[in-house]
């Protein structure tokens, strides 16, 4: 009988990392339950040790401090034979605290120069293997000290990033200090000179595996002296003298495997090596452009040796290493791993091949050379998936990273190659990656999550990930105390949350809370994880239900904290976008008000509109636009300097992207609903940039600019500014030419506001003396132009036959036909104030027949049943006595037919809303 135990074991010290939040295992029912609780101290010692083996070094140390028994067990030699330090900060202080446990440490993985400096403080004199990455800043001095303190070292690997500050001097120190060295792989050394190589030949008699990868110079002749070498890789190394290589290296008596991938080797050198070497069995030359361009290579005789190149069938070539026919095909690596073959030489070759293939495929994917699509689709993807099942953890990691990398076409725009992504899916890669993501090895978790994240940009792959249970797995990884794991998992949720169909599943899996918790957990020093978490929350916040979940779990506070405090533009952009989406749901939830009420939120967003990064400015303006729909937020934004900031933004974005232009004008549109803000916008110089934006080529910009100018034109001083700044031709152009009905509609309303009375003429002399000295303003000409195009706009929504039928009959069907032709669907979302409704009602009395028709047309749009704010508008009209004016307009002999019919329809709309008694 078994029982699943889920027990919180988190413990946090002053400066220590927090241990894993939860530990989930299956244990036998050994009578440990007492009154419903579990007595963890009664677990068998071997069970505790097994549990400890699944934790990282900090968690082991933390858990060991809980009681004396566990402290003894936590120091067991078997738990400290290997350490992976890459996931956490590892410095001298941490190394010193771990030193007492590292007496028998044999294998060590580290990351970065600081960790390298701290290694000697572990006092692990029996260390056999060291593997490091992010080694660019590691110096000769540091490496020399490390090898001097670890004379028993048998394997040293630094890469795949370049070791820019390590020279041949350090290689000589390695040779002198580590006589038992068997494996040496270094990446990115500038000059591996002869003395260094000769030192290895002299002092390291058991050195069988050498890799000088991506180096600038390697002394080819000196390598002939390392007679013990069996496996040699110079992959990616430049400036090689291949003529020297082909005449000397074939003399290496024990050389079995040679890797020259990603070099400029040609067919002549390849042929000589294959024909002359007596011991060589495998020559790997993947992604060698010179070799692949030479037609003669197809006739090269391999003399029974394997040549692995882009033009060869790699799986078939590798299968020839085996005597059994069962090892044919793409399962060759898996068959080998599962076989009972005890051939030591074959096992060594296959293990080396896994390593060099994973390295070369990753490097090739990173450089993404042209012309390899066929290779990736036919062989590369399958090779990476096969290598992902290796027993070598570093091979698995590189294969997963390779999958994450080779699908990417454009990293900046998150574009991936559809064919490559779906090839991974077809070959069972999603299940393999999810299994890898469930590994207790955090390095594998991180790389698998990264691959899943990148692949999920493709909608078909995202669907497969969700169907295979990937959302639950990624949500669980997002809770990891390892920042790198959490970061990649958050990236996966970010990409998955693009799909509307996945948002609810992410919320159900606890993903929303996990993402919010990430922001609080890594609020400083984790820009990557913060950007991904905020990006995922931004996508989720676009969904009404998910947006409420974001608010409930503290997401508003978390996102505002990022907007206020984080200086990284990627985080700022996603935080602002998330706040914009949270505030976008109108009356369906209270998030808009909640964001505005969060301390410092509006001030932070106003400040972000001044960012040097366009994406940040765009999302901040978008957030302020959405927030301005709330009356209190609107005034608070203005009080926080929003008017000045947004006018400045509008003035600066004439050459910006349409997205930024739309949001800048939209935010001003939202603020200008308030007359005080409208006046302030005009006073701050907001009219001219809005007119410039009205001339944009983008429909969305047309709408927001026209909407803002419509609101501004309500004020007579702003109306005059619009005329003086050349706004009439711009609005006329919108009214007549924009592909957006809404932009044309609001442009017509703005023009109608500007010329619906004589007060603009009265106001003109007051401002023209100072503001328009150099401008020639013809109000009469502007009025005639405006009225002409307003009339033309109204007539585009008129059907003469329907109008004639409606004039002859009051039948609902006749009026409905007119309404259907005149309706602008999006206009139903506009919400007008009492003053604006009153302005249109008053316009019905205007002497201009065109303005009468425009006013009736506008009131029709605002009262059509089913419109979002139709009831509100009807209520305002009833309170303002509009019915009487509408009846008069409908009955006036001098009114144009459009005004009469539209007025009758408005009256019927009011009846529908039960605001007036039936009258016609």
């Amino acid at each position: 009988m078994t029982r699943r135990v889920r027990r919180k074991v988190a413990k946090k010290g002053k400066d220590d990392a927090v241990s894993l939040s939860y530990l989930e295992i299956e244990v036998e029912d050994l009578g440990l339950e007492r009154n419903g609780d579990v007595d963890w101290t009664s677990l068998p010692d071997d069970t505790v040790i097994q549990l400890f083996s699944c934790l990282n070094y900090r968690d082991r140390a933390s858990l060991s401090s809980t009681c004396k028994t566990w402290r003894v067990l936590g120091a067991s030699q078997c738990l400290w034979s290997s350490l992976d330090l890459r996931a956490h900060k590892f410095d001298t202080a941490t190394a010193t605290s771990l030193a007492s446990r590292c007496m028998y440490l044999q294998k060590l993985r580290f990351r970065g120069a600081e960790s390298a400096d701290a290694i000697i403080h572990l006092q692990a004199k029996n260390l056999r293997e060291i593997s490091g990455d992010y080694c660019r800043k590691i110096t000769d001095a540091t490496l020399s000290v490390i090898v001097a303190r670890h004379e028993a070292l048998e394997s040293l690997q630094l890469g795949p990033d370049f070791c820019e500050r390590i020279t041949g001097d350090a290689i000589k120190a390695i040779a002198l200090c580590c006589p038992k060295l068997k494996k040496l792989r270094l990446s990115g050394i500038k000059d591996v000179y002869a003395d260094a190589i000769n030192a290895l030949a002299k002092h390291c008699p058991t050195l069988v595996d050498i890799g000088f990868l991506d180096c600038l110079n390697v002394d080819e002749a000196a390598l002939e002296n390392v007679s013990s070498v069996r496996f040699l890789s110079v992959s990616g190394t430049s400036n090689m003298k291949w003529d020297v290589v082909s005449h000397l290296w074939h003399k290496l008596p024990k050389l079995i495997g040679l890797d020259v991938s990603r070099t400029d080797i040609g067919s002549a050198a390849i042929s000589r090596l294959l024909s002359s070497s007596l011991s060589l069995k495998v020559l790997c030359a993947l992604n060698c452009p010179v070799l692949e361009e030479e037609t003669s290579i197809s006739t090269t005789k391999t003399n029974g040796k394997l040549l692995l190149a882009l033009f060869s069938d790699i799986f078939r070539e590798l299968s020839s290493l085996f005597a059994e026919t069962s090892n044919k095909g793409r399962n060759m690596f898996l068959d080998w791993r599962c076989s009972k073959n005890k051939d030591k030489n074959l096992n060594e070759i296959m293990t080396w091949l896994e390593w060099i293939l994973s390295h070369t495929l990753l490097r090739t994917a990173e450089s993404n050379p042209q012309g390899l699509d066929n290779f990736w689709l036919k062989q590369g993807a399958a090779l990476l998936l096969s290598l992902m099942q290796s027993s070598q953890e570093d091979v698995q990691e590189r294969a997963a990273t390779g999958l994450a990398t080779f699908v990417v076409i454009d990293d900046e725009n998150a574009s991936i190659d559809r064919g490559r992504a779906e090839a991974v899916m077809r070959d069972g890669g999603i299940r393999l990656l999810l299994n890898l993501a469930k590994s207790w090895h955090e390095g594998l978790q991180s790389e698998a999550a990264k691959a899943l994240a990148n692949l999920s940009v493709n909608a078909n792959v995202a669907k497969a990930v969700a169907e295979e249970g990937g959302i639950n797995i990624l949500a669980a990884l997002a809770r990891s105390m390892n920042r790198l794991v959490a970061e990649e998992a958050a990236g996966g949720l970010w990409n998955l949350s693009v799909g509307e169909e996945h948002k609810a599943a992410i919320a159900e899996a606890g993903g929303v809370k996990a993402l919010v918790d990430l922001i609080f957990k890594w609020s400083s020093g984790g820009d990557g994880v913060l950007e991904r978490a905020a990006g995922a929350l931004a996508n989720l916040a676009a969904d009404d239900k998910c947006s409420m979940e974001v608010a409930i779990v503290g997401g508003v506070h978390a996102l505002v904290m990022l907007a206020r405090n984080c200086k990284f533009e990627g985080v700022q952009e996603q935080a602002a976008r998330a706040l914009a989406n949270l505030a976008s749901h109108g009356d369906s939830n209270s998030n808009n008000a909640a964001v505005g009420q969060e301390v410092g939120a509006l001030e932070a967003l106003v400040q972000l509109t001044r960012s040097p990064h366009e994406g940040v400015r765009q999302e901040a303006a978008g957030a302020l636009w959405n927030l301005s729909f709330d009356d209190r937020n609107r005034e608070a934004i203005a009080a926080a300097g929003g008017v000045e900031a947004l006018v400045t933004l509008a003035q600066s974005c004439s050459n910006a992207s349409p997205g930024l232009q739309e949001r800048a004008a939209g935010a001003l549109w939202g603020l200008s609903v308030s007359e005080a803000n409208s006046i302030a916008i005009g006073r701050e110089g907001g009219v001219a940039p809005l007119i410039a934006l009205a001339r944009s080529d983008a429909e969305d910009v047309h709408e927001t600019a026209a909407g803002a100018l419509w609101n501004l034109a309500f004020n007579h001083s702003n109306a005059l500014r619009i005329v003086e700044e050349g706004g009439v031709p711009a609005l006329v152009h919108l009214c007549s030419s924009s592909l957006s009905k809404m932009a044309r509609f609001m442009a017509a309303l703005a023009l109608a506001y500007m010329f619906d009375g004589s007060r603009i003429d009265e106001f003109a002399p007051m401002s023209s003396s100072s503001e328009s000295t150099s401008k020639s303003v013809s109000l009469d000409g502007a009025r005639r132009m405006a009225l002409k195009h307003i009339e033309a706009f109204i007539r585009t929504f008129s059907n003469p036959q329907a109008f004639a039928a409606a004039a002859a009959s009051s039948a609902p069907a006749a009026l409905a036909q007119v309404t259907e032709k005149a309706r602008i669907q999006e206009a139903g979302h506009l919400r007008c104030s009492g003053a604006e409704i009153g302005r249109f009602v008053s316009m019905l009395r205007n002497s201009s027949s065109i303005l009468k028709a425009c006013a009736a047309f506008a009131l029709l749009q605002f009262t059509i049943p089913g419109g979002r704010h139709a009831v509100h508008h009807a209520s305002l009209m009833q309170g303002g006595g509009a019915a009487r004016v509408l009846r008069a307009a409908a009955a006036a002999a001098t009114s144009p037919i459009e005004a009469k019919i539209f007025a009758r329809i408005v009256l019927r709309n009011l009846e529908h809303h039960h605001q007036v008694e039936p009258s016609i």
Side-chain angles (χ1 to χ4, degrees):
M1 177 178 178
T2 62
R3 179 165 49 83
R4 188 167 293 280
V5 180
R6 187 172 173 84
R7 177 83 170 183
K8 189 172 182 180
V9 295
K11 186 177 180 66
K12 190 173 184 179
K14 181 178 179 181
D15 295 315
D16 292 335
V18 184
S19 65
L20 295 176
S21 299
Y22 289 92
L23 187 63
E24 188 171 301
I25 58 169
E26 286 189 2
V27 296
E28 294 183 4
D29 190 349
L30 299 174
L32 303 179
E33 187 171 345
R34 298 190 179 120
N35 300 323
D37 295 326
V38 175
D39 182 3
W40 287 88
T41 61
S42 298
L43 286 172
D45 290 353
D46 58 347
T47 301
V48 175
I49 290 174
Q50 184 64 33
L51 289 173
F52 275 36
S53 70
C54 297
L55 303 178
N56 62 51
Y57 76 95
R58 287 197 175 221
D59 294 338
R60 293 177 195 171
S62 180
L63 205 55
S64 296
S65 66
T66 56
C67 66
K68 182 177 180 180
T69 301
W70 281 15
R71 184 161 57 251
V72 173
L73 293 175
S76 298
Q77 176 181 343
C78 62
L79 291 176
W80 298 94
S81 62
S82 66
L83 272 183
D84 187 346
L85 307 173
R86 295 172 298 164
H88 303 276
K89 181 180 175 63
F90 179 73
D91 54 18
T92 299
T94 306
T96 302
S97 68
L98 291 173
S100 62
R101 301 175 176 88
C102 295
M103 183 181 301
Y104 301 102
L105 184 65
Q106 294 188 12
K107 185 176 180 179
L108 178 68
R109 300 187 74 179
F110 73 93
R111 172 165 291 161
E114 184 180 25
S115 295
D117 291 335
I119 288 174
I120 60 172
H121 298 282
L122 288 172
Q123 299 181 23
K125 296 182 178 180
N126 295 310
L127 203 57
R128 298 289 190 270
E129 300 180 30
I130 294 179
S131 177
D133 55 24
Y134 289 80
C135 300
R136 292 184 182 274
K137 295 183 179 180
I138 295 178
T139 64
D140 281 355
T142 298
L143 185 54
S144 297
V145 170
I146 290 174
V147 296
R149 299 288 185 92
H150 302 96
E151 296 179 0
L153 203 61
E154 296 177 358
S155 173
L156 176 63
Q157 301 183 70
L158 301 180
D161 46 305
F162 296 174
C163 303
E164 296 177 345
R165 300 175 67 178
I166 293 176
T167 70
D169 292 345
I171 296 175
K172 289 176 68 175
I174 294 169
L176 292 169
C177 296
C178 305
K180 298 180 180 180
L181 193 66
K182 296 178 180 178
K183 182 189 300 180
L184 177 64
R185 294 169 179 164
L186 303 175
S187 295
I189 309 296
K190 291 182 180 179
D191 187 10
V192 184
Y193 52 75
D195 285 352
I197 296 174
N198 289 331
L200 292 172
K202 179 179 180 181
H203 300 287
C204 302
T206 59
L207 183 59
V208 296
D209 189 335
I210 297 177
F212 292 132
L213 309 142
D214 296 292
C215 296
L216 189 61
N217 291 290
V218 173
D219 192 293
E220 306 88 348
L223 278 170
E224 183 197 3
N225 299 325
V226 190
S227 58
S228 60
V229 68
R230 303 183 70 205
F231 301 100
L232 174 61
S233 175
V234 289
S235 176
T237 293
S238 55
N239 300 314
M240 296 291 293
K241 301 180 181 66
W242 294 113
D243 185 60
V244 174
V245 167
S246 61
H247 282 87
L248 294 179
W249 288 7
H250 73 274
K251 300 176 183 179
L252 289 167
K254 299 179 181 179
L255 184 64
I256 297 174
L258 175 61
D259 177 23
V260 294
S261 299
R262 301 183 298 112
T263 65
D264 58 357
I265 193 171
S267 59
I270 291 286
S271 298
R272 188 174 289 112
L273 286 167
L274 290 172
S275 62
S276 302
S277 177
L278 299 178
S279 59
L280 187 64
K281 293 185 177 181
V282 181
L283 199 162
C284 187
L286 291 172
N287 192 21
C288 296
V290 174
L291 177 66
E292 291 147 17
E293 291 172 1
E294 295 179 358
T295 57
S296 61
I297 188 62
S298 59
T299 61
T300 297
K301 295 182 179 180
T302 61
N303 298 309
K305 302 176 175 65
L306 268 64
L307 174 61
L308 304 182
L310 294 183
F311 49 76
S312 61
D313 185 331
I314 295 174
F315 284 104
R316 187 177 66 182
E317 292 291 330
L318 291 176
S319 296
S320 65
L321 288 170
F322 299 87
E324 301 89 346
T325 56
S326 60
N327 290 97
K328 306 293 185 183
R330 293 194 173 192
N331 292 324
M332 182 271 307
F333 277 107
L334 183 61
D335 290 343
W336 162 65
R337 296 182 198 111
C338 297
S339 72
K340 298 180 180 179
N341 191 326
K342 301 302 180 181
D343 186 332
K344 181 181 177 182
N345 287 335
L346 178 60
N347 289 340
E348 287 181 350
I349 292 172
M350 293 299 293
T351 300
W352 177 75
L353 279 171
E354 283 191 333
W355 196 94
I356 61 110
L357 285 173
S358 66
H359 183 277
T360 292
L361 290 173
L362 174 56
R363 280 302 199 199
T364 303
E366 289 172 341
S367 61
N368 194 24
Q370 297 295 315
L372 293 190
D373 283 347
N374 190 55
F375 167 75
W376 286 121
L377 293 175
K378 290 188 175 181
Q379 298 194 79
L383 278 169
L384 288 169
L385 291 174
S386 182
L387 293 170
M388 212 164 62
Q389 302 170 72
S390 170
S391 59
Q392 301 179 74
E393 185 181 341
D394 55 346
V395 169
Q396 288 182 296
E397 286 185 22
R398 274 195 299 275
T401 307
L403 284 174
T405 306
F406 95 109
V407 296
V408 177
I409 299 172
D410 184 349
D411 189 37
E412 185 174 347
N413 296 311
S415 299
I416 69 169
D417 186 285
R418 178 178 178 179
R420 296 180 187 182
E422 295 186 356
V424 174
M425 180 173 64
R426 285 194 302 272
D427 289 342
I430 303 305
R431 173 46 50 194
L432 287 174
L433 285 166
L434 289 173
N435 288 337
L436 210 60
K438 291 188 288 186
S439 164
W440 62 270
H441 291 284
E442 291 175 328
L444 297 179
Q445 292 174 355
S446 174
E447 299 308 322
K450 180 191 296 181
L452 289 166
N454 287 357
L455 289 163
S456 294
V457 172
N458 178 278
N460 293 331
V461 177
K463 181 180 179 182
V465 170
E467 290 174 348
E468 293 276 3
I471 288 176
N472 286 321
I473 292 172
L474 289 170
L477 291 180
R479 303 183 186 98
S480 172
M481 300 310 298
N482 181 323
R483 181 178 60 80
L484 297 178
V485 174
E487 179 175 321
E488 300 302 345
L493 294 175
W494 186 2
N495 288 341
L496 284 167
S497 62
V498 171
E500 295 297 324
E501 66 274 25
H502 304 314
K503 291 179 180 177
I506 292 172
E508 290 171 6
V512 174
K513 187 175 189 308
L515 291 164
V516 171
D517 289 345
L518 278 182
I519 293 175
F520 291 118
K521 188 185 303 180
W522 304 105
S523 57
S524 61
D527 292 341
V529 68
L530 293 176
E531 180 179 14
R532 288 163 174 76
L537 289 172
N539 288 347
L540 293 166
D543 176 82
D544 186 33
K545 291 184 179 180
C546 289
S547 74
M548 291 189 285
E549 176 73 12
V550 172
I552 289 170
V553 299
V556 173
H557 178 66
L559 292 164
V560 170
M561 178 182 71
L562 291 183
R564 293 179 65 185
N565 301 328
C566 188
K567 303 305 179 185
F568 178 59
E569 64 270 15
V571 178
Q572 292 175 338
E573 180 177 345
Q574 297 307 322
R577 186 169 73 90
L579 291 170
N581 287 346
L582 281 172
S584 68
H585 299 285
D587 300 329
S588 63
N589 62 47
S590 60
N591 285 347
N592 191 306
V595 173
Q597 292 166 11
E598 184 69 29
V599 175
L602 301 180
E603 292 82 357
L605 289 168
V606 168
Q607 184 61 35
L608 290 180
T609 64
R610 302 184 177 99
S611 169
H613 303 280
E614 181 172 315
V616 177
R617 297 197 300 274
Q618 176 174 310
E619 299 303 341
L624 291 171
W625 180 12
N626 288 345
L627 289 165
S628 68
F629 283 91
D630 180 87
D631 293 340
R632 285 177 295 181
N633 286 345
R634 189 183 307 122
E635 303 312 316
I637 291 168
V643 170
E644 297 85 349
L646 289 167
V647 167
T648 300
L649 180 61
Q651 290 170 337
S652 67
C653 69
S654 58
N655 295 318
S657 67
L660 176 55
Q661 293 177 338
E662 178 198 10
R663 287 161 177 79
L668 288 172
W669 180 14
L671 290 184
S672 64
V673 169
S674 159
E675 186 170 9
N677 290 344
S678 176
I679 294 170
I681 290 169
R683 187 172 57 242
E684 291 293 330
V687 170
L690 286 169
I691 292 172
L693 292 176
R695 298 189 178 100
S696 168
D697 294 329
E699 289 181 44
D700 292 338
V701 182
H702 291 174
E703 290 185 10
T704 55
L709 289 169
W710 170 36
N711 282 351
L712 291 178
F714 189 86
N715 176 268
H716 293 288
S717 61
N718 283 337
L720 181 61
R721 288 188 178 98
I722 294 172
V723 175
E724 293 174 338
E725 295 287 351
V728 173
L731 288 167
V732 162
H733 181 72
L734 282 187
C735 186
S736 61
S737 304
S738 177
L739 297 177
S740 164
K741 286 184 179 180
M742 274 293 287
R744 293 165 58 202
F745 176 53
M746 291 186 291
L749 297 187
L751 290 169
Y753 272 2
M754 292 161 63
F755 298 110
D756 69 340
S758 61
R759 284 178 289 176
I760 190 171
D761 302 278
E762 298 170 358
F763 193 79
M766 298 174 60
S767 60
S768 61
S769 61
S770 59
E771 296 178 319
S772 306
T773 303
S774 63
K775 299 176 184 177
S776 175
V777 179
S778 172
L779 293 179
D780 287 339
R783 180 184 289 107
R784 285 194 299 271
M785 184 191 302
L787 294 180
K788 176 184 175 181
H789 286 85
I790 292 172
E791 181 180 24
F793 169 73
I794 298 297
R795 286 182 176 174
T796 61
F797 294 89
S798 304
N799 184 323
Q801 293 179 339
F803 270 32
S809 168
S810 298
L815 295 178
Q817 188 177 2
V818 175
T819 302
E820 186 63 28
K821 171 66 175 176
R823 182 169 192 166
I824 300 174
Q825 192 72 35
E826 299 87 346
H829 296 290
L830 294 174
R831 180 183 175 94
C832 297
S833 66
E836 289 172 306
I837 293 295
R839 183 85 171 255
F840 288 115
V841 171
S842 297
M843 204 180 294
L844 291 170
R845 301 191 184 98
N846 197 283
S847 59
S848 167
S849 60
I850 296 172
L851 291 177
K852 284 181 182 179
C854 183
F857 181 78
L859 292 172
L860 180 151
Q861 303 300 330
F862 299 146
T863 58
I864 292 177
R868 184 173 178 180
H869 303 294
V871 174
H872 165 72
H873 294 149
S875 176
L876 293 175
M877 293 176 70
Q878 172 64 13
R884 178 174 52 83
V885 181
L886 285 163
R887 291 190 189 99
T894 58
S895 293
I897 189 171
E898 292 91 354
K900 291 181 178 183
I901 301 302
F902 290 153
R904 289 170 61 187
I905 295 173
V906 175
L907 284 167
R908 184 167 293 279
N909 290 344
L910 294 180
E911 291 171 7
H912 175 85
H913 297 300
H914 308 289
Q915 298 298 316
V916 296
E917 293 297 324
S919 59
I920 56 174

